[in-house]
Amino acid sequence: MNRNLLYMLSAWVLAIAASTLATSCTENEELGQYSAYFMPTRPAGIELYADQTRDSTTIVSTISWDITTQATTGEDGWLRFSPGKADVVPNGQLFQRVNITAEANTTGYIRESLMKVNLQTDRIDGIAMPVRQLGWMDITVPQPRFTTDDKATMQPIFESTLKASDINATMVCHIFTMATLKSDAEWLVIPEELQSIRGGDRTLIFSVEPNHTGTERTAHVTLTSTLGCSNVVTFIQKAE
């Protein structure tokens, strides 16, 4: 992920971590059997891209539990957990894998909710971990810059500058499902085999006509997931 964005998001996570726990246990001899934590530990929480709809974690607990969510940024109700609860036998310990399913984020903005594991005891507190879904797809080239530092309203701008003599333009991304590509300019051509692409890591090379017009020009390439997420990459070609 983009380092600048990672630094910003890490600061937000620290604020959340101050008021929530990823691990809950006690060293008191009488209460020593009570513990709950996530495995692996993820200090920054779980982060998904807009078209990324699946992840998982493991809850290790000696106490029965159930999961609820609490929105911290944006809307709520976009997360599902399976199983959403578990029963732990007395004096036992359960390693329970939890599958996390998210709706595709078509809002264009970051949304975040706390995954709250409520323990069926008053001896120790429950545990919680932020689950954050970005409002954009995983495009690394061109590198995104952001409209604001405000997590609730930030959006990426993907922009690349080409020389007048360039004959290729490059875009690097990871697709989680399927996606289509379209160009709005005749001078930047998307090969037929790239107009519909499968999921995975993709380095995409587009054909560009050298710019002999004497005027700078702009092309917009739109990447659209089959889940409805969409981002525009702008290519600006200089004039001779």
Side-chain angles (χ1 to χ4, degrees), residues 18-221:
S19 59
T20 61
L21 292 174
T23 303
S24 186
C25 60
T26 176
E27 296 180 0
N28 182 286
E29 183 176 350
E30 179 184 355
L31 306 178
Q33 71 271 26
Y34 295 93
S35 66
Y37 57 90
F38 293 104
M39 188 178 72
T41 57
R42 300 189 192 184
I46 293 174
E47 185 166 274
L48 310 171
Y49 283 93
D51 62 331
Q52 185 179 359
T53 60
R54 295 184 183 280
D55 207 319
S56 65
T57 189
T58 296
I59 298 173
V60 183
S61 178
T62 60
I63 311 158
S64 298
W65 49 261
D66 65 84
I67 300 174
T68 57
T69 62
Q70 177 185 336
T72 55
T73 300
E75 61 187 2
D76 202 356
W78 51 275
L79 280 174
R80 300 288 184 273
F81 305 98
S82 179
K85 62 180 181 178
D87 294 323
V88 182
V89 298
N91 301 316
Q93 185 179 52
L94 179 65
F95 288 70
Q96 179 63 60
R97 176 188 171 96
V98 177
N99 294 313
I100 300 170
T101 303
E103 298 174 2
N105 187 359
T106 60
T107 69
Y109 297 95
I110 293 175
R111 57 189 180 187
E112 181 178 272
S113 291
L114 283 180
M115 174 184 177
K116 301 179 68 175
V117 180
N118 309 299
L119 304 176
Q120 295 181 12
T121 180
D122 57 3
R123 302 296 184 92
I124 61 173
D125 295 329
I127 57 176
M129 178 168 58
V131 181
R132 180 185 313 105
Q133 189 176 39
L134 305 179
W136 52 89
M137 299 168 70
D138 185 6
I139 300 171
T140 53
V141 177
Q143 189 175 34
R145 58 185 175 87
F146 294 90
T147 57
T148 177
D149 292 340
D150 179 13
K151 180 172 59 171
T153 58
M154 71 188 306
Q155 290 184 300
I157 296 174
F158 301 99
E159 192 173 271
S160 179
T161 301
L162 307 174
K163 298 177 182 178
S165 59
D166 283 345
I167 59 172
N168 289 313
T170 302
M171 177 176 167
V172 178
C173 59
H174 182 92
I175 307 300
F176 287 91
T177 53
M178 296 274 293
T180 59
L181 285 160
K182 291 184 178 180
S183 170
D184 68 353
E186 292 183 356
W187 58 269
L188 190 153
V189 179
I190 298 175
E192 184 176 353
E193 65 271 17
L194 296 183
Q195 293 177 16
S196 179
I197 55 177
R198 295 178 179 274
D201 294 322
R202 295 287 178 261
T203 299
L204 309 170
I205 308 296
F206 312 131
S207 298
V208 175
E209 297 175 4
N211 188 3
H212 302 305
T213 67
T215 304
E216 182 178 281
R217 59 189 181 182
T218 300
H220 302 96
V221 173

